[in-house]
Amino acid sequence: MNQTYGTAAVLAAVLATLVIGSAGLRISRTTSDFYVASRTVPPYLNAMAVSGEYLSAASFLGIAGLVAAQGVDMLWFPVGYTAGHLVLLAFVAAPLRRSGAYTLPDFAESRLESTAARRVASVLVVGIGWLYLLPQLQGAGLTLGLVTGAPRRLGGVLVAVVVALAVAAGGMRSITFVQAFQYCLKLTALLVPAVFLVVAWHGDPGPGAALEEPPAFRRHTQVTVDSTVRIRLHEPLRAVAAGSVDGKRYVDAALLLDPGVHEVRAGTTLRFPPGAAVPERDGGSGPRAGASSWATPLSGGRDDHPLYTTYGLIFATFLGTMGLPHVLVRFYTNPDGRAARRTTVVVLALVGGFYLLPPLYGVLGRIYAPDLLLTGNTDAAVLVLSERLVGGVAGDLLGALIAAGACAAFLSTASGLTLSVAGVISQDVLPSLGVRNFRLATLLAIAVPATASVAVSGLPVADAVGLAFAVAASSFCPLLVLGIWWRGLTAPGAIAGLLTGGGSALTAVGLTIAGPTAGGWTHTLLAWPAVWSVPLGFLTMVLVSLATRDRVPAGTEAAMARLHLPERPAGVTS
């Protein structure tokens, strides 16, 4: 990628974010402006803002990378991310807006009349927000590293600084306009290059190469590994090496590797001839499935228990959307419940249209950027394809546009997450409400994940987001569904369910991120906890609530009426 063009595009995206965000200084004056934009955002603008913050680094880079590396099984990610809004539309959107709350902890306290439930919800909101912010900052480091050549840590720091300035400047009202703009930029950044890429692909004499297993290098290719990797070969492989392979030093020497597992040390450069099979990264879990596994669902190539992991992914993405604090907080900004439903319908169209594009980039990345499969940097497939397929000045310009879109993806999602976490911190941690404390909370909300992103850098972007979805699905999905639709929910039941479901999922996620666990079912259950943690959360809430029937809040009937009765039309007073 041309670094001059790419740097200019990223700077333009950052500048636009700061300029639009600074406009909030003139129009955001009250606490309500900062938290919920005074509940005056119309459906179409709000839908664009929801889509802008929802389509994160996982959507822009991660899905394409997972499809390129792991095949059609990964199409469940875009399906689940989109379909989650159907559940949101059916069960949550309008009642949540009618609740009159500012945040999820507000809802928990008003519905259950319990400050303890509020505190538990607050901790989970902050935990989910920080967990979701990690991959945004990691993706920023990856993008800016490729675009500018700067160290990866710098990208996360830049995004953190820009987000803190934009959110602190104008709160929810200004971020609404920022995220709507960034959705348009992200869609344009994928759609325009995709047209040129498809045309170039159509002119290729072998367009079906993505289905070949294993993939092969189409031309002389030089690959430098940034960190030590182990590769598994099923056939002998010839290459030219400069560095250390299997503990032996090579200086531009011919290399013949026999079938088996080999270690390539960090900094080693390998040059492959055309037609050579791409070596498979070895994860230490034994050989993968055989030929055509990339194009075969449930091939067993991704995990020891592929059917279970598929359901784990479906549960997390379908139900996790309902529990994402930065998405739910946007429904508080609609004028009424009807507008909240309209917002969700438009979001389905906007998000569904966007998700048609990343899988295309994943397929093309497998054909034209197979070296990323060896280095493990498949999240970069979207960023390098324009240069490799189109080339020249046109390829550089398209690559710059994609870089700007990727930057917008990190900024918009990070802004929404920071806003939702800052709202909780300013209400439940700092001593008093007000704009000054909101701005201080913004700094706290972004500083912790920015620091953590330096230490946690090896988790694929979309996988990391999937873990955040699992925690959200296990905690706030049961709380919202039962809190909105079941009169029998009690504060002890809700607290027990939040701690059991959300706590168990968060523990599993923490163990997964901390490092490799034992293989087999132990690893699978921890890496994909939603299958058992979501039912556990529901079951705990129901059983404990039934055991504490005498603790049903006194104002339950009034609360349920407020959640489900339509608002009085504007202009009608009686």
Side-chain angles (χ1 to χ4, degrees):
M1 176 177 290
N2 187 296
Q3 292 187 355
T4 301
Y5 290 173
T7 302
V10 169
L11 290 176
V14 170
L15 181 61
T17 297
L18 292 176
V19 169
I20 298 173
S22 65
L25 288 171
R26 298 193 302 271
I27 60 178
S28 294
R29 297 183 176 88
T30 68
T31 301
S32 182
D33 281 333
F34 271 80
Y35 284 112
V36 290
S38 294
R39 307 190 193 277
T40 58
V41 182
Y44 285 95
L45 177 61
N46 208 20
M48 293 179 67
V50 171
S51 302
E53 70 177 356
Y54 188 67
L55 298 171
S56 64
S59 301
F60 200 90
L61 300 179
I63 290 175
L66 287 177
V67 170
Q70 301 178 27
V72 298
D73 275 351
M74 299 301 97
L75 293 178
W76 280 113
F77 272 101
V79 170
Y81 288 156
T82 305
H85 285 90
L86 283 172
V87 184
L88 191 64
L89 172 64
F91 295 106
V92 173
L96 188 64
R97 168 58 190 89
R98 296 188 190 112
S99 71
Y102 281 108
T103 62
L104 275 172
D106 277 346
F107 171 82
E109 182 178 31
S110 63
R111 170 63 179 86
L112 299 169
E113 301 176 10
S114 168
T115 56
R118 179 191 185 96
R119 293 191 189 101
V120 173
S122 298
V123 171
L124 286 168
V125 166
V126 173
I128 292 169
W130 283 346
L131 183 63
Y132 209 141
L133 272 166
L134 280 176
Q136 312 311 314
L137 300 179
Q138 290 178 18
L142 169 66
T143 301
L144 295 186
L146 286 172
V147 171
T148 67
R152 288 195 176 188
R153 296 178 182 178
L154 181 61
V157 173
L158 175 63
V159 168
V161 171
V162 173
V163 166
L165 292 174
V167 173
M172 179 63 81
R173 188 177 290 280
S174 64
I175 288 300
T176 297
F177 293 103
V178 168
Q179 291 172 335
F181 159 75
Q182 288 169 337
Y183 169 78
C184 297
L185 177 57
K186 283 184 280 190
L187 182 62
T188 303
L190 282 189
L191 182 59
V192 173
V195 174
F196 289 88
L197 295 178
V198 169
V199 171
W201 184 27
H202 181 70
D204 192 306
L211 303 181
E212 296 176 358
E213 188 72 23
F217 295 106
R218 298 167 62 85
R219 58 187 178 185
H220 287 284
T221 303
Q222 177 174 301
V223 180
T224 300
V225 296
D226 297 326
S227 57
T228 299
V229 298
R230 291 168 59 86
I231 59 175
R232 179 180 297 274
L233 301 178
H234 300 286
E235 297 178 358
L237 178 69
R238 294 183 181 274
V240 175
S244 177
V245 179
D246 291 335
K248 183 178 180 181
R249 296 290 302 177
Y250 295 86
V251 181
D252 292 328
L255 175 68
L256 176 62
L257 296 177
D258 295 325
V261 178
H262 303 271
E263 182 181 79
V264 182
R265 301 294 296 177
T268 299
T269 297
L270 298 174
R271 296 198 296 273
F272 299 94
V278 179
E280 174 188 313
R281 288 170 63 93
D282 181 64
S285 58
R288 292 168 59 119
S292 301
S293 63
W294 182 87
T296 304
L298 305 181
S299 62
R302 186 164 192 268
D303 197 276
D304 293 334
H305 307 284
L307 183 60
Y308 174 88
T309 59
T310 299
Y311 278 108
L313 176 57
I314 292 173
F315 268 66
T317 53
F318 275 47
L319 301 179
T321 303
M322 193 188 307
L324 293 178
H326 67 298
V327 172
L328 296 178
V329 74
R330 294 225 58 93
F331 291 99
Y332 304 137
T333 67
N334 281 122
D336 51 39
R338 184 180 182 186
R341 282 202 179 99
R342 288 182 176 177
T343 294
T344 312
V345 172
V346 178
V347 168
L348 277 167
L350 297 179
V351 171
F354 180 92
Y355 277 131
L356 295 175
L357 299 172
L360 172 64
Y361 281 83
V363 173
L364 296 179
R366 189 173 177 85
I367 302 174
Y368 298 103
D371 52 295
L372 300 179
L373 303 177
L374 174 57
T375 62
N377 293 328
T378 52
D379 287 340
V382 171
L383 300 170
V384 304
L385 280 173
S386 294
E387 178 187 14
R388 300 195 182 187
L389 264 76
V390 180
V393 176
D396 290 337
L397 291 174
L398 292 174
L401 177 60
I402 291 175
C407 185
F410 315 133
L411 291 173
S412 59
T413 303
S415 297
L417 289 164
T418 302
L419 189 65
S420 63
V421 173
V424 171
I425 292 176
S426 64
Q427 292 190 57
D428 299 319
V429 177
L430 299 180
S432 62
L433 295 175
V435 172
R436 179 177 298 179
N437 278 350
F438 177 85
R439 288 172 172 157
L440 176 59
T442 298
L443 298 180
L444 295 175
I446 193 66
V448 172
T451 303
S453 67
V454 176
V456 182
S457 59
L459 200 61
V461 170
D463 275 354
V465 170
L467 296 177
F469 268 73
V471 177
S474 305
S475 53
F476 290 121
C477 172
L479 174 67
L480 289 169
V481 170
L482 295 177
I484 290 172
W485 297 99
W486 186 40
R487 288 173 169 79
L489 183 66
T490 66
I495 293 171
L498 288 172
L499 292 175
T500 304
S504 61
L506 192 60
T507 300
V509 165
L511 293 174
T512 301
I513 293 178
T517 59
W521 276 109
T522 300
H523 165 72
T524 303
L525 291 172
L526 291 176
W528 303 97
V531 171
W532 54 267
S533 58
V534 172
L536 182 62
F538 272 102
L539 185 62
T540 302
M541 284 193 188
V542 170
L543 292 180
V544 176
S545 293
L546 291 176
T548 56
R549 291 187 181 93
D550 57 329
R551 302 283 298 276
V552 173
T556 295
E557 291 302 323
M560 298 298 286
R562 184 171 64 252
L563 292 175
H564 295 286
L565 292 179
E567 298 89 344
R568 183 180 292 113
V572 177
T573 59
S574 61

